[in-house]
Amino acid sequence: MTTGATVWLTGLPSAGKTTIAHELAGRLREEGRHVELLDGDEIREFLSAGLGFDRADRHTNVQRIGFVAELLARNGVTALVPVIAPYAESRDAVRERHEANGTPYVEVHVATPVEVCSVRDVKGLYAKQAAGELTGLTGVDDPYEQPLKPDLRIESQHQTVQESAAAVHALLTERGLA
């Protein structure tokens, strides 16, 4: 059985987390790895329906995603998790769960500045916030606690998606996880 792992990609909305995860998933699948991509939007719709966006609900959402990721990873799947996960305490709890079960965990901070994210604005969230139609946007009027010691920090505005995915892949390879 191959070793599974959780690759947690955290960052602001429109930082490039999901795009990098999709590119990485393709590379890993080409190598014969079992891969699942746990997209934050899909999790919110199917696993965390009914949760809001206050601190407690965001924490609950992250813990649910972390549980599923760890379950997959300990069963030989590489779980790619591109979610905002704005609070350090929530991310730390997920890491601790993995460590307690001996499951490999890699935290990648997609450290794209808010100015770049707001230009990308994949879902139109920054435009809605600027127009007063949305409050609680992570990194604008709601906090995002940057990881202090991620396993890898990517500044996606300075490299291609392929280069970003290659950097994550190189780290996984170095750790015997790819």
Side-chain angles (χ1 to χ4, degrees):
M1 183 164 124
T2 57
T3 302
T6 293
V7 180
W8 195 279
L9 296 101
T10 180
L12 296 174
S14 296
K17 303 175 299 295
T18 301
T19 305
I20 293 167
H22 278 288
E23 178 70 22
L24 179 60
R27 289 175 184 229
L28 293 169
R29 286 182 181 122
E30 286 175 4
E31 296 172 354
R33 306 281 307 178
H34 296 290
V35 179
E36 283 296 329
L37 197 148
L38 301 176
D39 180 81
D41 292 335
E42 291 176 358
I43 295 293
R44 275 238 176 233
E45 181 179 353
F46 296 106
L47 188 61
S48 294
L51 290 180
F53 290 91
D54 64 14
R55 188 177 184 100
D57 281 358
R58 288 179 189 225
H59 178 77
T60 298
N61 184 52
V62 168
Q63 296 315 295
R64 288 177 182 176
I65 297 168
F67 172 78
V68 172
E70 196 278 327
L71 181 66
L72 289 166
R74 76 174 128 130
N75 284 285
V77 176
T78 300
L80 304 179
V81 186
V83 296
I84 297 168
Y87 305 117
E89 177 185 11
S90 299
R91 294 188 307 266
D92 291 347
V94 170
R95 181 186 290 273
E96 289 166 12
R97 173 182 197 80
H98 281 71
E99 288 173 354
N101 289 311
T103 307
Y105 178 87
V106 175
E107 183 179 70
V108 178
H109 178 208
V110 183
T112 311
V114 69
E115 299 79 23
V116 174
C117 295
S118 65
V119 170
R120 291 178 180 172
D121 204 8
V122 176
K123 299 174 191 167
L125 299 175
Y126 293 93
K128 287 180 183 176
Q129 192 276 336
E133 299 170 13
L134 175 73
T135 58
L137 181 58
T138 302
V140 178
D141 59 354
D142 207 57
Y144 177 76
E145 300 169 356
Q146 293 190 22
L148 299 178
K149 295 181 181 179
D151 298 290
L152 178 65
R153 189 175 316 276
I154 292 175
E155 295 182 359
S156 70
Q157 73 277 16
H158 297 306
Q159 59 193 59
T160 66
V161 172
Q162 294 75 19
E163 290 168 334
S164 295
V168 180
H169 189 270
L171 177 62
L172 294 176
T173 301
E174 175 185 304
R175 295 190 178 179
L177 302 172

